[in-house]
Amino acid sequence: MSRQCQGGPNGTEPGAMRQRGNGTGPAAEGCGAVSVVFPLTMMITGIVGNALAMLLVSRSYRAKGSRRKRSFLLCIGSLAITDLLGQLLTSPIVISVYLADRTWEAVDPSGHLCSFFGFSMTVFGLCPLFIASAMAVERTLAIRAPHWYASHMKTRVTKTVLLGIWLAVFAFALLPVAGLGQYTLQWPGTWCFISTGDSQLTGSLCFASTFTILGLLSLVVTLACNLATIEALVSRCRTKATASHSSKQWGRIATETLIQLLGIMCVLSACWSPLLITMLKMIFSHTSFEHCKGFLGEAQGSELHKECNFFLTAVRLASLNQILDPWVYLLLRKILLQKFCQAANAVSKCSNNEWKERSITLSEEIRRTTA
């Protein structure tokens, strides 16, 4: 894509470029034709993926023998609902701003839409991170403390925890309304998020710092819990040389959910780590990407050019989280996991048989040589 087609987090065209070229001419039209496909594709893919995930979770939840997995399924379903709502509330705004071919100020002169967009980005950014952490903790308790888990971890507890996550994040995202923090228009003028650059406002700095620390903390908790779960599974496999049918079934369920958690953890880390680390860097240096407004006058290989492009890449990766979460669940389902294990076993058996044949052939040759 050419430099003129650089856009916002959902591929929209910069407002500064539209002001400079008045949004007319073949170049602007070509840029628009390229850019509008990206947010539309992201929205459609996210809606379809999360809807399919919710359908699969609903069917699995009602199936017989799913009692052990109901807490985990509730978390997966909550994650899909959260991501779906995030797509439905943010993507149409970005697409509308782009299709109108106007600056954000022309679409939202009062600034209320900007506040709503920033609020949505905060809520649907933190909620998936916290839900993923809750899933990691839930699986760790199920595997490392199965007796305590069976007697104390009911679906009612899971629902209470999920409701608490939603309410807490919702209340936190409303703090800028009370004056603690601020949602501002971000470069290139097509989206809004938490302000990080105003060092004179203690509330804004505190709010941005809290968001970043909570996001990074949730990633650390998810990683630590999954590592603890892996260690418990390996220890159990070593201690049990022979296993009953029920133990094998438990191990299959635990392995399935663990792989799903690892997939979601990798997606969360890849999507959110760049943005959270960038925000943390801006907070400590008391800077923001407001200076990107002078981006057009800079050289192509300048440091400012690289910083602004990296910031946009980090935001786009974060927006991909709502799309990738359900597909991780869909692609790592039990059927595909079983096929993978069958294929691995087949390859292993073939390798063992081939090694046995080679060993027999080698033994025969040694006997003939000795004779």
Side-chain angles (χ1 to χ4, degrees), residues 180-298:
L180 184 62
Q182 188 178 11
Y183 296 122
T184 57
L185 191 65
Q186 305 289 328
W187 184 83
T190 53
W191 65 295
C192 296
F193 196 48
I194 300 171
S195 175
T196 59
D198 198 343
S199 58
Q200 296 180 353
L201 294 178
T202 306
S204 296
L205 186 62
C206 180
F207 182 70
S209 302
T210 305
F211 174 87
T212 306
I213 293 173
L214 288 175
L216 291 173
L217 183 62
S218 66
L219 291 178
V220 172
V221 170
T222 303
L223 177 62
C225 288
N226 278 284
L227 291 177
T229 305
I230 292 174
E231 191 274 334
L233 284 174
V234 172
S235 299
R236 176 163 294 195
C237 290
R238 288 178 177 177
T239 54
K240 289 190 175 183
T242 59
S244 61
H245 178 71
S246 60
S247 297
K248 290 181 179 179
Q249 184 179 7
W250 179 90
R252 175 180 56 80
I253 294 174
T255 304
E256 174 191 341
T257 53
L258 175 61
I259 292 178
Q260 290 175 350
L261 279 174
L262 288 174
I264 293 175
M265 180 190 67
C266 292
V267 169
L268 286 172
S269 300
C271 289
W272 279 99
S273 294
L275 179 61
L276 293 173
I277 293 174
T278 302
M279 289 184 63
L280 196 63
K281 178 182 177 182
M282 288 191 296
I283 291 169
F284 281 113
S285 60
H286 300 288
T287 59
S288 69
F289 282 94
E290 289 292 323
H291 60 266
C292 288
K293 293 179 180 179
F295 167 65
L296 295 175
E298 297 291 330

Side-chain angles (χ1 to χ4, degrees), residues 7 46 78 80 82 85 95 107 111 132 141 150 179 211 250 285 308 329 351:
S78 301
T82 304
L85 289 175
I95 295 172
V107 177
L141 292 175
F211 174 87
W250 179 90
S285 60
C308 294
Y329 175 72
S351 299

Side-chain angles (χ1 to χ4, degrees), residues 107-364:
V107 177
D108 180 32
S110 64
H112 296 316
L113 187 61
C114 182
S115 298
F116 174 77
F117 194 94
F119 168 81
S120 300
M121 288 281 289
T122 303
V123 169
F124 299 109
L126 283 180
C127 276
L129 292 172
F130 286 169
I131 293 174
S133 297
M135 285 192 291
V137 172
E138 187 268 343
R139 282 296 89 187
T140 302
L141 292 175
I143 294 174
R144 296 187 70 92
H147 298 293
W148 184 92
Y149 179 88
S151 59
H152 294 84
M153 197 64 182
K154 308 297 182 182
T155 55
R156 177 172 51 84
V157 177
T158 305
K159 293 177 182 179
T160 303
V161 170
L162 292 173
L163 181 61
I165 289 175
W166 281 326
L167 292 178
V169 174
F170 190 87
F172 173 76
L174 285 176
L175 288 179
V177 179
L180 184 62
Q182 188 178 11
Y183 296 122
T184 57
L185 191 65
Q186 305 289 328
W187 184 83
T190 53
W191 65 295
C192 296
F193 196 48
I194 300 171
S195 175
T196 59
D198 198 343
S199 58
Q200 296 180 353
L201 294 178
T202 306
S204 296
L205 186 62
C206 180
F207 182 70
S209 302
T210 305
F211 174 87
T212 306
I213 293 173
L214 288 175
L216 291 173
L217 183 62
S218 66
L219 291 178
V220 172
V221 170
T222 303
L223 177 62
C225 288
N226 278 284
L227 291 177
T229 305
I230 292 174
E231 191 274 334
L233 284 174
V234 172
S235 299
R236 176 163 294 195
C237 290
R238 288 178 177 177
T239 54
K240 289 190 175 183
T242 59
S244 61
H245 178 71
S246 60
S247 297
K248 290 181 179 179
Q249 184 179 7
W250 179 90
R252 175 180 56 80
I253 294 174
T255 304
E256 174 191 341
T257 53
L258 175 61
I259 292 178
Q260 290 175 350
L261 279 174
L262 288 174
I264 293 175
M265 180 190 67
C266 292
V267 169
L268 286 172
S269 300
C271 289
W272 279 99
S273 294
L275 179 61
L276 293 173
I277 293 174
T278 302
M279 289 184 63
L280 196 63
K281 178 182 177 182
M282 288 191 296
I283 291 169
F284 281 113
S285 60
H286 300 288
T287 59
S288 69
F289 282 94
E290 289 292 323
H291 60 266
C292 288
K293 293 179 180 179
F295 167 65
L296 295 175
E298 297 291 330
Q300 182 76 14
S302 66
E303 191 67 24
L304 177 61
H305 181 280
K306 295 178 181 178
E307 288 180 1
C308 294
N309 279 340
F310 179 80
F311 179 60
L312 280 180
T313 302
V315 174
R316 286 167 178 166
L317 284 174
S319 65
L320 283 175
N321 177 63
Q322 296 174 340
I323 298 173
L324 295 179
D325 276 345
W327 292 107
V328 169
Y329 175 72
L330 293 173
L331 293 175
L332 295 177
R333 290 183 62 204
K334 178 177 65 176
I335 297 176
L336 293 180
L337 177 64
Q338 287 178 345
K339 288 183 178 180
F340 173 79
C341 293
Q342 291 174 359
N345 290 333
V347 172
S348 177
K349 289 180 180 179
C350 290
S351 299
N352 291 334
N353 292 336
E354 184 179 358
W355 176 257
K356 288 180 180 179
E357 291 177 359
R358 289 181 180 179
S359 299
I360 294 172
T361 304
L362 181 62
S363 299
E364 292 178 354

Side-chain angles (χ1 to χ4, degrees), residues 4 6-8 12-23 97-98 101-105 185-191 293 296:
Q4 283 75 16
Q6 292 285 350
T12 56
E13 182 186 359
M17 285 299 296
R18 288 193 298 272
Q19 289 177 348
R20 188 176 182 181
N22 297 325
V97 171
Y98 173 78
D101 196 23
R102 303 171 182 173
T103 60
W104 187 284
E105 290 78 6
L185 191 65
Q186 305 289 328
W187 184 83
T190 53
W191 65 295
K293 293 179 180 179
L296 295 175

